[in-house]
Amino acid sequence: MASLKREIWPLWFPILILAIMWVVHYLQLSNGISWSNYGVYPRKMEGLKGIFFSPWLHSTKDFSHIINNSFPVFVLGWCLRYYYRSMSVFAFTFIWFVSGLCVWISARESFHIGMSGVIYGLAGFLFVSGILRKEKRVMALSLMVAFLYGSMIWGIFPIKEGVSFEGHFWGMLTGVVLAIYLKSEGPQRKKYAWEENDDIGLDEFEENYWMPKSEEENTLAKGAKVYRIKYHFKKRDDSSDEG
């Protein structure tokens, strides 16, 4: 039961994100309006507000845009919260704002909307984090991300018209950089005692671990007293051997 709760509880994170996305989309459709002008518009002061609003906005032409983003948000959001609970909110927020700022600085002059930039950032973060940590669970997660979303890599190139490849590119790059920066945080591979010797030189290793020491040195190292036992052999007068 405890294990099931541990797996289900992290679902609140992606569900909250999806709820905001779909409520915003419903409000647009029900009122027959579009808030696309609240997206990121590069190098315009009024476009800065899009850094905050753009992930929650999707095309109102149909449901394809928001549906295509919903499943990756659910899967990657759960993975982030489950495996990197202590840093999940920070990682999501960092990718959201930094990638948005980079889009504002460098992208084409158009309104950039959608959660896909953050999705690329989460995929990049989860994949690289697992590789760097070399911990079996998160490495398995890296392989799963590569299997499910490896084809996303093509989205960082200007292949399809009307798609913000800049958002994809900066999202993925932000996630990768963040994974490198946080590589010493979160789940880590179990390190065995013999591996800790990799941090010292060979000479020091041999001297401290392999070179034999005298009995006095070994005993003193343990903080104990030294006792010396002397054996005396007395020569027998007869030359017979006992059987």
Side-chain angles (χ1 to χ4, degrees):
M1 182 63 68
S3 177
L4 182 62
K5 182 179 179 181
R6 183 173 180 269
E7 294 175 359
I8 293 178
W9 176 243
L11 288 175
W12 73 263
F13 187 68
I15 289 175
L16 176 62
I17 298 171
L18 289 172
I20 298 174
M21 286 170 50
W22 279 93
V23 167
V24 170
H25 198 68
Y26 171 77
L27 291 175
Q28 292 182 91
L29 293 176
S30 62
N31 291 283
I33 58 177
S34 175
W35 292 333
S36 295
N37 58 333
Y38 280 86
V40 176
Y41 198 94
R43 297 173 296 281
K44 299 291 184 181
M45 291 303 297
E46 60 270 23
L48 279 172
K49 64 180 180 292
I51 296 175
F52 181 81
F53 293 111
S54 62
W56 314 109
L57 303 171
H58 294 81
S59 174
T60 54
K61 294 179 181 179
D62 52 39
F63 287 92
S64 61
H65 189 200
I66 191 169
I67 290 175
N68 290 338
N69 281 348
S70 293
F71 184 70
V73 165
F74 183 81
V75 175
L76 297 176
W78 178 84
C79 291
L80 178 69
R81 185 65 186 177
Y82 182 82
Y83 289 98
Y84 302 95
R85 181 177 60 180
S86 61
M87 65 181 75
S88 58
V89 175
F90 170 76
F92 180 86
T93 306
F94 183 88
I95 293 170
W96 168 8
F97 283 100
V98 173
S99 62
L101 179 62
C102 292
V103 169
W104 183 82
I105 293 172
S106 65
R108 296 164 293 171
E109 291 190 357
S110 178
F111 287 106
H112 298 256
I113 61 173
M115 187 64 73
S116 56
V118 177
I119 292 171
Y120 271 75
L122 295 179
F125 175 81
L126 292 171
F127 177 75
V128 175
S129 290
I131 299 300
L132 293 178
R133 295 167 196 277
K134 297 180 180 179
E135 199 273 337
K136 60 181 180 180
R137 294 180 306 155
V138 291
M139 285 190 74
L141 175 62
S142 294
L143 295 176
M144 186 195 76
V145 171
F147 176 76
L148 292 177
Y149 303 110
S151 60
M152 287 172 50
I153 191 67
W154 299 108
I156 67 174
F157 301 108
I159 297 175
K160 189 175 181 179
E161 187 178 356
V163 175
S164 177
F165 72 90
E166 300 97 329
H168 299 169
F169 171 80
W170 287 115
M172 180 168 287
L173 183 61
T174 302
V176 169
V177 171
L178 183 63
I180 296 172
Y181 178 74
L182 296 177
K183 65 180 180 179
S184 59
E185 304 292 332
Q188 300 291 329
R189 182 174 69 92
K190 183 178 180 181
K191 194 170 185 180
Y192 297 95
W194 62 269
E195 294 180 285
E196 296 177 357
N197 298 321
D198 293 340
D199 298 330
I200 65 175
L202 179 60
D203 294 338
E204 183 182 354
F205 177 77
E206 291 180 346
E207 179 181 352
N208 292 328
Y209 294 91
W210 292 109
M211 295 300 289
K213 297 180 180 180
S214 65
E215 182 179 351
E216 288 85 357
E217 290 176 326
N218 287 330
T219 309
L220 287 172
K222 299 178 182 178
K225 294 181 179 180
V226 177
Y227 295 93
R228 291 183 175 85
I229 300 176
K230 295 183 178 180
Y231 295 91
H232 298 275
F233 297 92
K234 185 178 180 181
K235 187 175 181 181
R236 298 182 57 169
D237 293 336
D238 56 2
S239 57
S240 62
D241 296 329
E242 293 183 356

